[in-house]
């Protein structure tokens, strides 16, 4: 048995001969001096929506949490272990990032499950069901609106969820305090896998709009 | 205020003119047919250790969870929301990945916090402390061996943590059953940010070794 | 009975027709003028880790002590005979070497014995047990950390032992005085028998790192 | 400051491009399967008399102790640490070598010190004096024989010391028992640095003679 999947070994060789070979000084400096990313991205696990790819970012630029459907749970200081909250705390308190971007995307499997629980894989733990339960009220409201098409309902919940996560970010004292002082900015974005279009959330209205790039 | 950090807008433009322009068909197909990644990677949030970069992978190839210190908690079907467990369930049950890779790396800030809790940022929730508490027993055993250097202790715990996460993966029935049937393989890897070296876990011994690439 | 093992006679013939034939002037000069090596190496007896081989050095270059696990005992002016201390004194006081290198290596049998005394050959004198007792406290601390693999524990103690020997070198007044005057430099190195990799000790941190050769 | 003396780094590079490159399989096998040398050599630290060089031996062939003047102390099971005795025990009990060769050489600095203690470097510990004290009675007898030239006295004591070390080898029960069973053979040899000549000890008479090679 190979120690690693063959595709990953091939890819790693490409990395060493490509990016690492041309950026070894950058890697060495990042190792010696530590990371100082300005931006945290909360993204989905989806294989089609890697933030480093979409934002063409190199080593040291993005501190990235990825979970199913890029959700931020509400602030729950209950003494349990919370993956996303721990990462948030690390990014804000320790790395002092200036930006947090919640990056959603179209055709999200987690959002689909929230809208159609019967489509979820069944397991004794039902971890997906519990996890997507974070957006259950919104999912229920959207799912019952059968005048929207399936795709419209999916996109609607994807964007509602981004706003929900941004609201939850603000439930963390460290986030709301720094945002109030103008030292931290929260952003939402939604990526269309098919067309490659990126839609940015208007912070005033919550609407998703095409940014002007040119 | 910009809707997105300027660096991300610049990077997105590069993406559209570069990778998306040359791979738009791939993106359209991935959107239409859905993702079918063969590999799930559990990686760290660290900005210097993005799996897509290290493995030079494109859209559709890697289903990626990223949390602080690339930890997998043990199987806890307690009805709470568990970010990493939900992603694991989705990858294994729904996407039916063939490989799961736990990818650690050197100079991990989460591991450093576990070894030296006093270095952690303080917050009322202490989410990092709770999260890294998952490896507290190992951290204590390593931290007290002061004949090892700070860096050696750090590397030791980084690798112990990868083995711990792999053991926890096997505590999920869906993982252990599929692994027993030979349909799912678990891997460990450790990336050296400075040298770019990738060390793969020997599945028989748990040792991290340099794979032979040439 | 042959006066010498046949393999050694064959090898000696190769030496005379090879290196000696091409370097006879060097040998004659070294005999006439005496040796003036700049470097003392304290290495292990292991048949796979000869310093002349690893450093591709010829006659006159390395003054070499070899004992089990390349240990330097602490300074003990007790009137007893001390093999390694005598060699150290000769190299520093008489030959005035500029460098002392403690050269350890992977898979060291002496270190293995220190970690697992039960694996040692039993004899009335128990000389190996007594000798490796020099690093007993470190061995115990490492051996009890069972979350590290057997190989990781072995490598850890191999490197701790090199640092221990370097610390003991400094307990000799002749070493510490000359080092203080900048006329003697102490080095640590660790050789990986399998890959051939050489790791050099960072004198500031004690960490073992791959030197940059290219 | 360089981590290693520059000459050693240069030599290591030669090793990797030369011997290691052409014998990497041998090194990997020796790492995986462990060492099984048939011969232990007890040699001097002298930079001009490395046994691997004189016997043109590669990795895995010779288990080598090197101390000043290639001495074997008598069997002293006193609970102290004894470098040479530990190596002997390891070679005989654990590695089960078939041959032990005591390799002396001309112009030995340790022997010179034994004959002329005033030439020794003085230090509070006087480790060389104590170490060479092992052959003090022989040294005194030779030194007072002023009808032999200085060089003759030197050569005489070099050869007496080899026979003395071989006698001491036999004071170790593990050696004498295995020698009695025919499973271990003891040899003496003396190397002339200037001419490259190797003289082998006749086991019956103790004389040093030129072996017939051709």
């Amino acid at each position: 048995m190979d120690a690693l999947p063959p595709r990953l070994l091939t890819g790693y060789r490409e990395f060493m001969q490509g990016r690492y070979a041309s950026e070894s000084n950058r890697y060495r400096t990042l190792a010696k001096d530590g990371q100082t990313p300005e931006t945290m991205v909360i993204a989905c696990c989806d294989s089609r929506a890697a933030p480093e790819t979409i934002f063409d970012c190199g080593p040291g630029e993005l501190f990235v949490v990825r979970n199913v459907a890029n959700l931020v749970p509400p602030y729950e200081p209950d003494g349990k272990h919370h993956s996303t909250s721990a990462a948030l705390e690390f990014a804000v308190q320790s790395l002092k990032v200036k930006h947090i971007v919640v990056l959603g995307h179209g055709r999200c499997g987690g959002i689909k499950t929230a809208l159609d629980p019967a489509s979820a894989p069944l397991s004794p733990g039902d971890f997906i069901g519990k996890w997507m339960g974070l957006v259950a009220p919104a999912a229920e409201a959207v799912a019952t609106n059968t005048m929207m098409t399936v795709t419209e309902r999916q996109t609607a919940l994807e964007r509602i969820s981004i706003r929900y996560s941004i609201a939850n970010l603000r439930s963390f004292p460290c986030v709301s305090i720094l945002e109030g002082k103008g030292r931290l900015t929260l952003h939402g974005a939604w990526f269309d896998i098919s067309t490659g279009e990126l839609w940015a959330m208007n912070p005033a209205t919550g609407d998703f709009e095409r940014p002007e790039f040119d």
Side-chain angles (χ1 to χ4, degrees), chain A residues 6 16 18 24 46 55 79 83 105 110 116 124-125 127 143 145 152 189 195 212:
Chain A
M16 284 306 281
S24 59
D46 193 292
F55 296 122
S83 164
H105 67 96
D116 180 12
F127 293 106
N145 184 343
E152 284 169 349
T195 62
E212 290 173 32

Side-chain angles (χ1 to χ4, degrees), chain A residues 54-130:
Chain A
I54 295 171
F55 296 122
D56 194 40
C57 280
E61 295 195 296
L62 304 180
F63 184 82
V64 177
V65 170
R66 291 177 71 177
N67 59 40
V68 172
N70 41 275
L71 296 181
V72 178
Y75 179 64
E76 287 179 305
D78 58 3
K80 309 279 177 144
H81 55 82
H82 292 285
S83 164
T84 306
S85 303
L88 177 63
E89 186 178 73
F90 192 84
V92 173
Q93 307 268 86
S94 181
L95 298 176
K96 301 186 193 311
V97 297
K98 296 179 180 169
H99 301 279
I100 302 178
V101 178
V102 177
L103 173 66
H105 67 96
R107 300 161 200 259
C108 175
I111 294 294
K112 186 174 174 226
T113 297
L115 286 168
D116 180 12
S119 74
L122 291 175
S123 81
D126 185 23
F127 293 106
I128 298 174
K130 300 298 182 198

Side-chain angles (χ1 to χ4, degrees), chain A residues 39-40 42 98-104 162 165-166 169-170 179 184-189 200-201 203 208:
Chain A
T39 301
M40 176 189 196
I42 296 156
K98 296 179 180 169
H99 301 279
I100 302 178
V101 178
V102 177
L103 173 66
I162 293 168
S165 288
I166 289 175
L169 282 174
R170 293 196 173 104
E179 191 186 24
L184 180 64
T185 311
L186 308 186
H187 310 265
M201 193 188 80
F208 282 77

Side-chain angles (χ1 to χ4, degrees), chain A residues 183-201:
Chain A
R183 283 157 51 187
L184 180 64
T185 311
L186 308 186
H187 310 265
W190 180 90
F191 176 70
D192 183 319
I193 290 168
S194 184
T195 62
E197 285 183 355
L198 187 73
W199 297 65
M201 193 188 80

